[in-house]
Amino acid sequence: MKTFALVDCNNFYASCERVFDPSLKKRAIVILSNNDGCIVARSNEAKALGIPMGVPFFEQVAVIKKYNVAVFSSNYQLYGDMSQRVMDSLRLYTPDMEVYSIDEAFLRLDHLQPRNLYEYCKTIRAKVLQWTGIPVSIGIGPSKVLAKIANNIAKKQTGVFDLRSQQTQDEILKTLNVNKIWGIAGRWSERLRRMGIHKASELRDASPTIIRKHLSVVGERILRELKGQSCINLEEIQPRKSIMSSKSFGNLLTKKAPIEEALANYAARACEKLRKQNSRAQAVHVFVQTNGFRETDKQYNNGLTCTLTTPTSDTRLIIGAAKFCLSKIYKQGYRYKKTGIMLTGLIPASLEQKQLFVDFTHCPGDHLMDVVDRINKNHGPDTLFFGAQGVTREWKMRCGSRSPRYTTQWNELLTVS
DNA sequence: TCTGGGGTCCTAGGACCC
DNA sequence: TCTGGGGTCCTAGGACCC
């Protein structure tokens, strides 16, 4: 039998903030999305106050003020670096690991004696806390879906929960609603409800053929995983198939120039990610959007894909292509909320197909980009940037209450007095 | 006034091939 | 009157995840 453990950081972003500011220990904390728009993470205390996930920040201002909730803009440099530390710690305990998201990892622990497993996970938990300051919960199961369910129970109990025995599975799945299962959300649970399936155990015991007919092969896999038949394996780290960068503006924009400037910044960011995974893009997709929430505003959403003559990861070429796309879709007379770029048709740099009639021998692009990346890595983002990215950047998103980037910026290190 | 930003996979249908 | 049987590739849309 396979053994999966899902390690999930508790209230990850809130926990990151607490590592560097112990005065937040017992306090309710919320973390906001980009542009300080929505609430995307909450400490347990904030959850207990009834502050929901994913709702607009402004709707919660009253309760936040009333209970003196600590509010943070998102600080992805900090969270990304802390995530790296947690993952590095976990990797010491098993060679078979899949980093599933910024705050979760699946481990394969088949090599351990089954009866030692629980204690082993307790140790992992204690060590991650000691080394990084981040509390985690660990769920154990014979499949990923069951490990996920075990993890949810671990969170509410003592931090580690073992869901390998048939008897425990029977008990737990009988009371678990289908919409709590990993991979089943609103639409599908509604569809299942109409089929008379409400509980996880009912889905597990349903006919695979019928489930496949209604929820495709994806649904059938979940059913089998609930039975303990593992069919979703650990995945190797794959290069991304598409890379996106987009953000809302701090204020609505009407003129083309600032939109173009913002777009150049997102393009530069996307290219950085592209080079980091050593890929080239064959196509560039650019889109613009007005604010759909403002019902009285004239709405306009459009996008355009253009194919590149040669696959590239050269920021200068991608910015050029992005500007071209924007020039085709930008229309005067609208108040724009957001623009973005998506790089698609990604291929490994080693497979790049050059053009027959273009001489590439004196093309300094790769070396130049390499220098830019290294300088920005060592001296901080935007130490070197492209003219098209602008200097004042008045379109920049709101980010009023970001904590210091304690672990990645020399001038923002924690001060101890 | 204020409403996030990334990703993945699957299926159906159309266009095309021989 | 009567009009085949396989394929592939691409795209859009829908579902899900964090």
Side-chain angles (χ1 to χ4, degrees):
Chain A
M1 191 173 75
K2 295 181 189 171
T3 302
F4 292 90
L6 175 64
V7 184
D8 191 315
C9 301
N10 300 349
N11 313 321
F12 182 53
Y13 298 167
S15 297
C16 288
E17 300 294 348
R18 277 182 178 156
V19 170
F20 297 92
D21 184 354
S23 75
L24 297 168
K25 271 272 146 38
K26 297 281 173 211
R27 214 171 139 194
I29 306 174
V30 296
I31 285 90
L32 306 181
S33 65
N34 277 328
N35 222 16
D36 290 349
C38 293
I39 291 172
V40 293
R42 305 152 296 156
S43 69
N44 284 340
E45 296 78 7
K47 290 176 190 172
L49 290 174
I51 299 172
M53 171 72 177
V55 294
F57 172 48
F58 69 86
E59 288 177 6
Q60 302 294 320
V61 167
V63 63
I64 282 169
K65 285 234 168 76
K66 181 170 174 196
Y67 294 102
N68 189 29
V69 177
V71 177
F72 291 94
S73 304
S74 38
N75 185 346
Y76 284 106
Q77 274 194 50
L78 177 66
Y79 309 149
D81 188 62
M82 292 303 285
S83 170
Q84 188 76 49
R85 294 171 187 218
V86 170
M87 300 308 168
D88 288 347
S89 307
L90 293 176
R91 215 167 265 118
L92 298 175
Y93 290 91
T94 177
D96 296 324
M97 170 169 149
E98 174 191 343
V99 177
Y100 178 69
S101 73
I102 193 165
D103 70 334
E104 282 170 85
F106 286 101
L107 317 181
R108 278 287 288 273
L109 297 175
D110 308 26
H111 58 288
L112 293 174
Q113 288 294 325
R115 61 179 179 288
N116 297 339
L117 203 59
Y118 187 82
E119 286 308 315
Y120 194 74
C121 288
K122 283 264 178 200
T123 310
I124 295 178
R125 197 168 169 267
K127 285 300 179 186
V128 171
L129 183 62
Q130 180 190 339
W131 293 333
T132 68
I134 301 291
V136 301
S137 301
I138 306 183
I140 308 165
S143 66
K144 279 181 160 180
V145 166
L146 287 172
K148 265 275 188 185
I149 292 171
N151 187 280
N152 282 334
I153 302 167
K155 278 235 163 72
K156 290 171 203 144
Q157 299 184 4
T158 53
V160 179
F161 190 81
D162 186 346
L163 191 52
R164 281 175 305 159
S165 88
Q166 188 62 53
Q167 197 194 336
T168 327
Q169 288 171 26
D170 285 342
E171 279 167 30
I172 301 292
L173 298 190
K174 212 160 42 186
T175 57
L176 190 72
N177 290 328
V178 286
N179 65 340
K180 302 288 181 205
I181 302 169
W182 183 47
I184 298 196
R187 300 296 170 90
W188 279 9
S189 57
E190 173 57 23
R191 218 178 281 181
L192 287 170
R193 195 187 60 75
R194 274 177 290 169
M195 297 165 66
I197 296 173
H198 305 89
K199 300 294 177 187
S201 58
E202 293 168 341
L203 176 58
R204 177 195 63 189
D205 300 330
S207 147
T209 323
I210 290 174
I211 293 303
R212 186 182 190 129
K213 207 159 72 193
H214 289 89
L215 305 184
S216 84
V217 64
V218 179
E220 183 183 350
R221 253 181 234 143
I222 293 170
L223 181 154
R224 294 191 184 280
E225 287 252 321
L226 285 172
K227 283 182 189 292
Q229 303 169 0
S230 164
C231 40
I232 309 175
N233 289 318
L234 282 201
E235 292 193 17
E236 314 262 317
I237 302 164
Q238 303 284 352
R240 301 250 174 257
K241 295 174 176 173
S242 65
I243 289 175
M244 174 129 108
S245 179
S246 79
K247 275 173 201 67
S248 307
F249 309 124
N251 297 299
L252 298 178
L253 299 176
T254 53
K255 294 204 189 80
K256 186 169 151 204
I259 298 176
E260 196 174 76
E261 197 179 286
L263 182 61
N265 278 273
Y266 307 154
R269 177 79 193 106
C271 287
E272 250 174 50
K273 294 193 214 170
L274 184 66
R275 292 191 294 268
K276 199 169 172 199
Q277 68 165 36
N278 215 6
S279 298
R280 303 275 192 263
Q282 299 182 101
V284 171
H285 177 82
V286 170
F287 62 88
V288 289
Q289 291 174 0
T290 48
N291 188 346
F293 288 107
R294 296 170 65 103
E295 286 172 11
T296 50
D297 275 17
K298 266 192 302 176
Q299 297 294 323
Y300 174 62
N301 298 312
N302 202 358
L304 181 68
T305 304
C306 81
T307 309
L308 300 159
T309 45
T310 309
T312 186
S313 59
D314 188 320
T315 302
R316 298 167 300 173
L317 300 178
I318 302 275
I319 287 179
K323 279 187 173 181
F324 172 79
C325 289
L326 181 67
S327 72
K328 296 287 179 195
I329 56 175
Y330 169 82
K331 282 204 285 195
Q332 264 185 338
Y334 293 97
R335 288 146 61 85
Y336 292 95
K337 171 69 177 166
K338 184 177 182 177
T339 185
I341 181 170
M342 182 151 65
L343 305 177
T344 58
L346 308 191
I347 54 164
S350 57
L351 296 183
E352 181 184 341
Q353 175 71 55
K354 307 275 192 196
Q355 282 181 292
L356 182 59
F357 298 109
V358 179
D359 180 7
F360 285 91
T361 44
H362 300 294
C363 173
D366 286 354
H367 185 58
L368 181 65
M369 292 303 126
D370 191 43
V371 169
V372 171
D373 288 339
R374 268 188 311 183
I375 288 177
N376 285 337
K377 183 167 179 245
N378 293 334
H379 298 272
D382 268 358
T383 306
L384 267 188
F385 60 91
F386 296 82
Q389 291 177 250
V391 180
T392 54
R393 302 186 186 172
E394 279 155 20
W395 42 268
K396 257 202 136 157
M397 65 177 189
R398 288 183 295 270
C399 171
S401 5
R402 198 192 62 211
S403 53
R405 293 164 291 186
Y406 299 106
T407 61
T408 55
Q409 293 289 120
W410 287 113
N411 53 356
E412 297 179 24
L413 291 182
L414 187 66
T415 321
V416 180
S417 42

